[in-house]
Each structure stands twice: as structure tokens, then as C-alpha cells.
Amino acid sequence: MRRNRNRCRLAAARPRPRMQWLALVASLGVACASTAPKTRPGAARHAPAIRVALAEGVLQLELQVEGRASLLCCGGRTFEWPEPGSLRATFTDGQIELDLGEQGTVRAAGTVLLEPVDDSSRVRFGTHSYRGLMEILMKAEALTLVNEINLESYLRGVVPWEIGWHGSRRKAAVEAQAIAARTYAFKRLGQYAELGFDVYADVTDQVYLGTTREDRVANDAIAATRGVVLTREDSLVEAYYSSTCGGHTARIEAVWPKPPQPYLRGRRDAPDTGGRSFCASSRHFRWSESWSGAGIESTLSQTLPQELDLPADSSIGVLLDVRVAARDESGRVRVLEVETSQQVYGVQGDRIRWVLRPRDRPILRSTMFKLELERRDGILVRVVVRGGGNGHGVGMCQMGALEMARRGFAHASILAHYYPGAALETLY
Ligand SMILES: [Zn+2]
């Protein structure tokens, strides 16, 4: 594949399981109807590797080696780090200049590999340490840093950052998170092949911060569910999840311009017998935001052109009204209309959260909200948004899952609640 064009000798000789795994994912059989994971006959014993972008489009990278590692570059040359040491890589004249400290400076015309010699070795980048192989790639006249790691080890750096650090009483929710995160990652192997990696290490995909603050409960949950993924008919499911659904999960097609899925159709987040929502104790279950008339006009004058791809110097005119034009059955706003002296702007689905940007948050917590407008002499003087939940609301509600675990539900029951009709399958 193109992204391996410049790989060094040792890396080229490494087993590359990716294509086998992609083939297996493509050939998943009909999902089992029971909640007990089904193991595929002849399933592989090993997890695939996943390539995580830790930095992209930078001109310089600083790495610290903790333990022993080998650097492979420059026509097959190998440099060893018997002691902790540092490495600075700089993009210079179409090459990677490597400052190796006491070992001098060399230039690489292609990909640079930094490979730990033993399991205890780590490479530090920024404030975090990572297991596995580091690759420095040249892409678009800049450097990309990729951490290639076994998918199960990757999950150890994802699960606690996505669902938090919890006691063993809530382990079933952490197991459900591990399965959802594994399924999400598996489904995205190869998604950015032309860029040289599979996933970003932030909320674009899943937050991954290496070995920093690994958690015993999360590690146990990952091990207990090793290789288990969510499937539906011939495919891995789209295992989306978010913090707090506000009492009702969302239909995927109401949030993003994506096709509907039977297991992402939105449902009450409460026991079948009724009662309080599972996520009712979340601090984001109910909230409010407010703007003065001038404040909301100022906010919309910036966010509307950004989100509607209008020319950067566009003026939206004088703000006259903000109203909800359509909702879905969960109570989320599907279409928000902003009327100004120039025109009526329509904003759909999750993008509404970027348009109604609060003063002290990057985006509105959710689209599940009611609008209250206050006018004086016909002029808009105050806008209040009273809302529920935090996040897009599609798939598993993490706060709800934690409450279900506290009440004694097993991970299979939690996943059946949030991804109805999906099955559990053990891939390795
Ligand atoms: Zn919920």
C-alpha cells in the first residue's frame, strides 16, 4: 500500500495483519440473536494493529525514549538507545532531519521508525507516554507522528478517558464502553489510509492518551471482553456513544446526514417499567444558557457564516428571530431557523450546537432544548436555552450505562438497551 512505500527494512519484515482483519470484518456472518458472545469458527488469536495519529501537519517533533528502543531510518541504518534519550525530528528541504543527541545528526528521506526493544519501553510525546511503535511520516510538506499499537493495548489508553475512572461496582459499564470503543476502532481501520493512519487520538475519533493514567478496572474490563465487538447482520455496528442523553437517545439520521440504522433509532433511557431516566443524576441532565440580545447577535454573526460555509466577510444583517422549526421524537431540535433583516437561515441537526455557541463553552451541550425569547419594544433583549444532556445522544449514553451497572445490569444488557438488535461476537 502507498503508505508503506517508505517503510524501513525491519518494518517491512513485520507481519501486517491489517488486510486479513479487514477481510474478516467484511465477511462477518449473520449475527447471533443471543446476548452471549458468539465466537467465529477459525477466529484468529491475535488482535490487529491500529495506527493512531498523535500529531499531523507539524514541522518539528520532540520524542523522549523511556527505556530501550531502536531507531530505523536512512537506508536501513539502525541506532540504539540503551539509556533514556531524546530525539528531535525537523522537516527540512523535503527530508526529516534527526537530532539524536550524542549520536549526532542524520537525515532521512523516508519514514522513520522508533521501535521499543522490550515491553517495558515507552516513548514520551508531549506529556504522555506510549507503548508500541512510533512512525514519523512526511505528508504534505510536514510531519505526521503515528503510534502503531495492538488494538487491545490501544483500548487501555482510550477507555478511561472516554468513560472516566470508576470503582469495580460499575465495571459492567466499563466493559460495555470497552466493547463499544473496540467496535468503533475496528470499523475505522483503514479510514484514513491515504494519510497513513487509521484514527485520530482525540474526539474526532476516540481520545487516546497512551499509558497515562491507565486504570485497573478499565484494563480488567478490556481483558474480560477481549476481541468482543457489536455486530448486526454482516457488519460491525456504528458504535457511537456520548456522555449524557438527557433522557432519550437520538436517531442517527436526525443528528447527522447519515443513513438510518435499526440499532440507532433512539429510545427512552429508562427502565422498561418506566421511572427516572438512567442518566438523571448527571450534572448535564438539565442545564441552561443565556445571551443578551447583543450577545446572541454577535455570536450568530460569527458562527452562522462558519457553519453554513458563507464567505468569511459575510454580514448576516440585524437579528430578528430565533425559532425551532422541527424536532424529533426525542425532543431534540432538528431544524433551527435564524431570521435576520437579510434572510432566514436554517441550521440542521448537530451543527446547531456549533451555531448556538455559549460564551464559556466551545459548543452547546446538546440539541435537546427549549428556547425562551424576551423582547422589549419589539427588540430581542434576551435569549435563554433550557436544555438536557451533553453530547450528540446517538448510541450508548455513558452516564446511563454507569447507572445501569450500579443497578446490577451486565454489559450485555446495557449494550442491548443502547444498541437494540445488535449482537455480541468474539473476533479473536
Ligand atoms: Zn441517558
Side-chain angles (χ1 to χ4, degrees):
M1 288 184 289
R2 189 168 142 250
R3 70 167 181 253
N4 290 333
R5 184 181 49 191
N6 294 325
R7 290 178 70 89
C8 292
R9 173 178 47 79
L10 184 64
R14 289 162 60 88
R16 303 292 294 173
R18 179 178 317 282
M19 294 314 293
Q20 290 166 238
W21 279 111
L22 292 176
L24 176 58
V25 171
S27 67
L28 281 171
V30 174
C32 177
S34 91
T35 52
K38 178 177 117 181
T39 303
R40 295 185 64 76
R45 286 182 300 166
H46 302 293
I50 186 166
R51 295 168 59 80
V52 191
L54 304 183
E56 189 187 27
V58 298
L59 296 178
Q60 192 168 79
L61 291 163
E62 302 250 8
L63 303 175
Q64 275 80 45
V65 178
E66 300 171 335
R68 298 176 61 215
S70 295
L71 178 80
L72 298 108
C73 70
C74 323
R77 292 177 67 186
T78 302
F79 301 85
E80 300 287 340
W81 263 276
E83 303 289 339
S86 63
L87 163 69
R88 179 187 296 133
T90 307
F91 182 80
T92 307
D93 300 330
Q95 294 190 320
I96 306 174
E97 184 177 276
L98 298 165
D99 181 350
L100 308 178
E102 291 181 0
Q103 300 193 66
T105 300
V106 293
R107 285 199 171 200
T111 298
V112 174
L113 300 178
L114 191 55
E115 185 163 52
V117 171
D118 52 53
D119 288 345
S120 63
S121 295
R122 304 279 183 273
V123 175
R124 176 169 282 265
F125 172 61
T127 54
H128 302 286
S129 296
Y130 298 86
R131 289 190 187 85
L133 182 74
M134 290 287 186
E135 281 192 25
I136 303 171
L137 314 174
M138 282 189 287
K139 293 282 180 185
E141 301 292 301
L143 303 179
T144 298
L145 178 64
V146 175
N147 182 204
E148 182 174 307
I149 187 170
N150 173 285
L151 195 144
E152 296 296 311
S153 295
Y154 161 77
L155 292 175
R156 294 167 69 150
V158 169
V159 169
W161 297 98
E162 289 290 354
I163 198 164
W165 289 257
H166 302 282
S168 54
R169 196 174 171 195
R170 289 177 172 78
K171 186 179 171 188
V174 185
E175 290 171 342
Q177 176 69 71
I179 293 169
R182 182 182 294 110
T183 307
Y184 182 97
F186 229 111
K187 195 152 178 91
R188 277 154 183 79
L189 294 179
Q191 73 169 330
Y192 303 126
E194 74 284 0
L195 300 178
F197 54 87
D198 298 309
V199 289
Y200 287 96
D202 60 18
V203 293
T204 308
D205 286 299
Q206 302 186 113
V207 175
Y208 166 66
L209 291 171
T211 58
T212 310
R213 294 196 65 196
E214 273 192 11
D215 176 51
R216 183 184 57 78
V217 172
N219 287 352
D220 288 350
I222 293 160
T225 62
R226 178 183 156 78
V228 178
V229 293
L230 286 156
T231 63
R232 163 90 186 177
E233 297 181 341
D234 290 335
S235 300
L236 294 159
V237 308
E238 294 282 1
Y240 291 108
Y241 53 87
S242 65
S243 162
T244 304
C245 76
H248 199 297
T249 63
R251 260 190 298 143
I252 184 171
E253 70 272 25
V255 175
W256 298 306
K258 290 177 181 286
Q261 299 290 352
Y263 52 87
L264 296 177
R265 58 178 180 259
R267 64 179 303 173
R268 270 272 287 142
D269 189 20
D272 292 339
T273 51
R276 259 164 64 95
S277 297
F278 285 127
C279 57
S281 62
S282 165
R283 65 193 171 95
H284 300 297
F285 187 67
R286 296 291 178 260
W287 46 264
S288 68
E289 302 284 357
S290 64
W291 297 259
S292 66
I296 191 71
E297 186 171 289
S298 169
T299 296
L300 293 172
S301 70
Q302 295 171 27
T303 59
L304 268 179
Q306 287 169 6
E307 296 305 319
L308 298 180
D309 289 329
L310 306 177
D313 58 350
S314 293
S315 166
I316 64 166
V318 177
L319 179 64
L320 302 176
D321 195 18
V322 185
R323 55 187 175 250
V324 173
R327 289 185 189 276
D328 68 12
E329 69 284 355
S330 75
R332 287 176 174 79
V333 178
R334 287 197 71 168
V335 181
L336 182 78
E337 286 184 352
V338 178
E339 183 177 353
T340 74
S341 55
Q342 292 193 354
Q343 68 177 86
V344 177
Y345 299 92
V347 188
Q348 298 197 3
D350 215 40
R351 301 319 298 173
I352 294 166
R353 297 168 62 203
W354 276 257
V355 168
L356 283 181
R357 184 177 66 204
R359 280 166 300 174
D360 56 355
R361 287 179 177 275
I363 59 173
L364 196 67
R365 270 170 275 196
S366 86
T367 57
M368 181 187 280
F369 63 80
K370 291 181 177 170
L371 271 174
E372 295 173 10
L373 271 54
E374 187 181 327
R375 297 177 190 277
R376 217 168 283 155
D377 299 328
I379 308 285
L380 198 58
V381 294
R382 187 170 161 80
V383 173
V384 179
V385 168
R386 298 193 191 283
N390 187 25
H392 49 68
V394 178
M396 186 172 74
C397 167
Q398 292 167 308
M399 291 301 295
L402 288 164
E403 174 61 15
M404 288 183 76
R406 193 189 68 80
R407 296 187 194 183
F409 288 93
H411 71 251
S413 300
I414 295 171
L415 293 167
H417 174 68
Y418 292 114
Y419 306 99
L424 295 173
E425 189 160 353
T426 303
L427 292 185
Y428 50 85

